[in-house]
Amino acid sequence: ERFLDTELGPHVRRVYLFHMLAERPTELRDVYTIPAGRLATATYDAMFGATRSAMRKAMNIEPDAVERSGAKIIEALERIEGELGGGDYLVGGRFGIADLTAASLLFPVLRPAEYQYVYPPTSPGLEAFREDLATLPVFAWLQGIWSRHRGESAEVPA
């Protein structure tokens, strides 16, 4: 879990935000304001320029860092696959916090069907990255974690 939090999470966030901020900023707003209503949406829109700059600076959301983060994500996925050793779960032969952490942190890339809201359109760059990751065997394992342990969609009506 600690490895995933420190060596995977920041890289997934950087890649996701890089593409969404550059290619789909309105849809990114929708992700953050779905349950909040019109006031939150208007506030987000008014502050978007400053927020985008602050996010880019705080998380080093720059092309060279994003490229390194993509490689780190692949390294982490390869480690997860190695830890699985052909098994169904990362620790102890049953679903646990490590499995939940991996599936949750990779959520923005996985886009599992079990998510309770309608997904906003993804960015072309993020979709290309997702397609690359989908070729890795561990990607199917991650989707399986969502389908086995999240169950039916708990979609919240808009």
Side-chain angles (χ1 to χ4, degrees), residues 107-129:
F107 162 81
V109 178
L110 289 170
R111 295 174 62 97
E114 294 78 14
Y115 182 54
Q116 69 266 31
Y117 299 105
V118 175
Y119 283 107
T122 189
S123 74
L126 191 59
E127 187 56 31
F129 184 65

Short mmCIF file of all heavy atoms in Angstrom, two decimals, residues 107-129:
data_model
loop_
_atom_site.label_atom_id
_atom_site.label_comp_id
_atom_site.label_asym_id
_atom_site.label_seq_id
_atom_site.Cartn_x
_atom_site.Cartn_y
_atom_site.Cartn_z
N PHE A 107 -7.89 4.28 -11.01
CA PHE A 107 -9.24 4.57 -11.46
C PHE A 107 -9.31 5.55 -12.64
O PHE A 107 -10.03 5.31 -13.61
CB PHE A 107 -10.08 5.07 -10.29
CG PHE A 107 -11.32 5.79 -10.69
CD1 PHE A 107 -12.44 5.08 -11.06
CD2 PHE A 107 -11.35 7.17 -10.75
CE1 PHE A 107 -13.59 5.74 -11.46
CE2 PHE A 107 -12.49 7.84 -11.14
CZ PHE A 107 -13.61 7.12 -11.51
N PRO A 108 -8.61 6.70 -12.61
CA PRO A 108 -8.75 7.65 -13.72
C PRO A 108 -8.33 7.10 -15.08
O PRO A 108 -8.80 7.54 -16.11
CB PRO A 108 -7.83 8.82 -13.33
CG PRO A 108 -7.60 8.66 -11.88
CD PRO A 108 -7.72 7.20 -11.58
N VAL A 109 -7.46 6.12 -15.06
CA VAL A 109 -7.01 5.49 -16.30
C VAL A 109 -7.89 4.30 -16.65
O VAL A 109 -8.23 4.08 -17.82
CB VAL A 109 -5.53 5.06 -16.19
CG1 VAL A 109 -5.06 4.37 -17.46
CG2 VAL A 109 -4.64 6.27 -15.87
N LEU A 110 -8.30 3.54 -15.64
CA LEU A 110 -9.12 2.35 -15.88
C LEU A 110 -10.52 2.69 -16.39
O LEU A 110 -11.05 2.00 -17.25
CB LEU A 110 -9.28 1.55 -14.58
CG LEU A 110 -8.07 0.82 -14.07
CD1 LEU A 110 -8.34 0.29 -12.67
CD2 LEU A 110 -7.69 -0.30 -15.00
N ARG A 111 -11.14 3.69 -15.79
CA ARG A 111 -12.51 4.06 -16.10
C ARG A 111 -13.45 2.84 -16.03
O ARG A 111 -14.13 2.48 -16.99
CB ARG A 111 -12.61 4.74 -17.46
CG ARG A 111 -11.88 6.08 -17.48
CD ARG A 111 -11.83 6.71 -18.85
NE ARG A 111 -13.11 7.03 -19.41
CZ ARG A 111 -13.69 8.23 -19.37
NH1 ARG A 111 -13.09 9.22 -18.79
NH2 ARG A 111 -14.87 8.43 -19.94
N PRO A 112 -13.50 2.20 -14.85
CA PRO A 112 -14.31 0.98 -14.72
C PRO A 112 -15.81 1.23 -14.88
O PRO A 112 -16.31 2.29 -14.52
CB PRO A 112 -13.99 0.50 -13.30
CG PRO A 112 -13.57 1.73 -12.58
CD PRO A 112 -12.89 2.60 -13.59
N ALA A 113 -16.49 0.23 -15.37
CA ALA A 113 -17.94 0.32 -15.59
C ALA A 113 -18.70 0.47 -14.28
O ALA A 113 -19.83 0.95 -14.28
CB ALA A 113 -18.42 -0.93 -16.34
N GLU A 114 -18.10 0.10 -13.18
CA GLU A 114 -18.78 0.13 -11.89
C GLU A 114 -18.82 1.52 -11.25
O GLU A 114 -19.39 1.70 -10.18
CB GLU A 114 -18.11 -0.85 -10.92
CG GLU A 114 -18.25 -2.29 -11.32
CD GLU A 114 -17.30 -2.71 -12.46
OE1 GLU A 114 -16.35 -1.97 -12.77
OE2 GLU A 114 -17.54 -3.77 -13.05
N TYR A 115 -18.25 2.51 -11.89
CA TYR A 115 -18.28 3.89 -11.37
C TYR A 115 -19.72 4.39 -11.34
O TYR A 115 -20.50 4.13 -12.26
CB TYR A 115 -17.42 4.78 -12.28
CG TYR A 115 -17.30 6.22 -11.87
CD1 TYR A 115 -16.89 6.58 -10.60
CD2 TYR A 115 -17.58 7.23 -12.77
CE1 TYR A 115 -16.76 7.91 -10.24
CE2 TYR A 115 -17.45 8.57 -12.42
CZ TYR A 115 -17.03 8.89 -11.15
OH TYR A 115 -16.89 10.21 -10.80
N GLN A 116 -20.10 5.12 -10.29
CA GLN A 116 -21.50 5.48 -10.09
C GLN A 116 -21.99 6.69 -10.87
O GLN A 116 -23.16 7.00 -10.85
CB GLN A 116 -21.80 5.66 -8.61
CG GLN A 116 -21.15 6.89 -7.98
CD GLN A 116 -19.83 6.59 -7.32
OE1 GLN A 116 -19.09 5.71 -7.73
NE2 GLN A 116 -19.50 7.34 -6.30
N TYR A 117 -21.10 7.41 -11.54
CA TYR A 117 -21.51 8.58 -12.32
C TYR A 117 -21.24 8.34 -13.80
O TYR A 117 -20.48 7.45 -14.17
CB TYR A 117 -20.73 9.82 -11.88
CG TYR A 117 -20.95 10.20 -10.44
CD1 TYR A 117 -19.98 9.96 -9.48
CD2 TYR A 117 -22.14 10.79 -10.03
CE1 TYR A 117 -20.18 10.31 -8.15
CE2 TYR A 117 -22.34 11.14 -8.70
CZ TYR A 117 -21.35 10.89 -7.77
OH TYR A 117 -21.57 11.23 -6.46
N VAL A 118 -21.84 9.16 -14.63
CA VAL A 118 -21.54 9.11 -16.06
C VAL A 118 -20.17 9.75 -16.25
O VAL A 118 -19.91 10.84 -15.73
CB VAL A 118 -22.61 9.88 -16.87
CG1 VAL A 118 -22.24 9.94 -18.33
CG2 VAL A 118 -23.97 9.25 -16.66
N TYR A 119 -19.30 9.06 -16.94
CA TYR A 119 -17.96 9.61 -17.18
C TYR A 119 -18.02 10.80 -18.12
O TYR A 119 -18.71 10.76 -19.13
CB TYR A 119 -17.05 8.57 -17.84
CG TYR A 119 -16.53 7.52 -16.90
CD1 TYR A 119 -17.01 6.23 -16.95
CD2 TYR A 119 -15.54 7.83 -15.97
CE1 TYR A 119 -16.52 5.25 -16.11
CE2 TYR A 119 -15.05 6.85 -15.12
CZ TYR A 119 -15.55 5.58 -15.19
OH TYR A 119 -15.06 4.62 -14.35
N PRO A 120 -17.25 11.84 -17.82
CA PRO A 120 -17.08 12.90 -18.82
C PRO A 120 -16.18 12.36 -19.93
O PRO A 120 -15.47 11.38 -19.73
CB PRO A 120 -16.40 14.01 -18.04
CG PRO A 120 -15.68 13.33 -16.93
CD PRO A 120 -16.52 12.12 -16.60
N PRO A 121 -16.20 12.99 -21.08
CA PRO A 121 -15.30 12.54 -22.14
C PRO A 121 -13.85 12.59 -21.66
O PRO A 121 -13.47 13.50 -20.92
CB PRO A 121 -15.53 13.55 -23.27
CG PRO A 121 -16.87 14.13 -22.99
CD PRO A 121 -17.03 14.13 -21.50
N THR A 122 -13.09 11.62 -22.06
CA THR A 122 -11.67 11.62 -21.71
C THR A 122 -10.90 12.40 -22.76
O THR A 122 -11.42 12.70 -23.83
CB THR A 122 -11.14 10.18 -21.57
OG1 THR A 122 -9.81 10.23 -21.02
CG2 THR A 122 -11.11 9.45 -22.89
N SER A 123 -9.67 12.70 -22.47
CA SER A 123 -8.85 13.43 -23.43
C SER A 123 -8.20 12.45 -24.39
O SER A 123 -7.98 11.28 -24.05
CB SER A 123 -7.77 14.22 -22.69
OG SER A 123 -6.76 13.35 -22.22
N PRO A 124 -7.88 12.89 -25.58
CA PRO A 124 -7.22 11.99 -26.55
C PRO A 124 -5.90 11.44 -26.03
O PRO A 124 -5.60 10.26 -26.19
CB PRO A 124 -7.03 12.87 -27.78
CG PRO A 124 -8.07 13.93 -27.67
CD PRO A 124 -8.24 14.18 -26.19
N GLY A 125 -5.10 12.29 -25.39
CA GLY A 125 -3.81 11.83 -24.87
C GLY A 125 -3.96 10.81 -23.77
O GLY A 125 -3.21 9.83 -23.70
N LEU A 126 -4.92 11.02 -22.89
CA LEU A 126 -5.16 10.08 -21.81
C LEU A 126 -5.72 8.76 -22.35
O LEU A 126 -5.34 7.68 -21.88
CB LEU A 126 -6.12 10.68 -20.78
CG LEU A 126 -6.27 9.94 -19.47
CD1 LEU A 126 -4.93 9.82 -18.76
CD2 LEU A 126 -7.28 10.63 -18.58
N GLU A 127 -6.56 8.85 -23.35
CA GLU A 127 -7.11 7.62 -23.95
C GLU A 127 -6.00 6.83 -24.63
O GLU A 127 -5.98 5.59 -24.55
CB GLU A 127 -8.23 7.95 -24.93
CG GLU A 127 -8.95 6.72 -25.46
CD GLU A 127 -9.54 5.81 -24.39
OE1 GLU A 127 -9.94 6.29 -23.31
OE2 GLU A 127 -9.60 4.59 -24.64
N ALA A 128 -5.07 7.50 -25.29
CA ALA A 128 -3.93 6.80 -25.92
C ALA A 128 -3.08 6.11 -24.85
O ALA A 128 -2.65 4.96 -25.03
CB ALA A 128 -3.09 7.78 -26.73
N PHE A 129 -2.87 6.78 -23.72
CA PHE A 129 -2.11 6.19 -22.62
C PHE A 129 -2.85 4.97 -22.07
O PHE A 129 -2.26 3.92 -21.81
CB PHE A 129 -1.87 7.23 -21.53
CG PHE A 129 -1.02 6.75 -20.41
CD1 PHE A 129 0.30 6.41 -20.61
CD2 PHE A 129 -1.55 6.64 -19.13
CE1 PHE A 129 1.10 5.96 -19.56
CE2 PHE A 129 -0.77 6.19 -18.07
CZ PHE A 129 0.56 5.86 -18.29
#
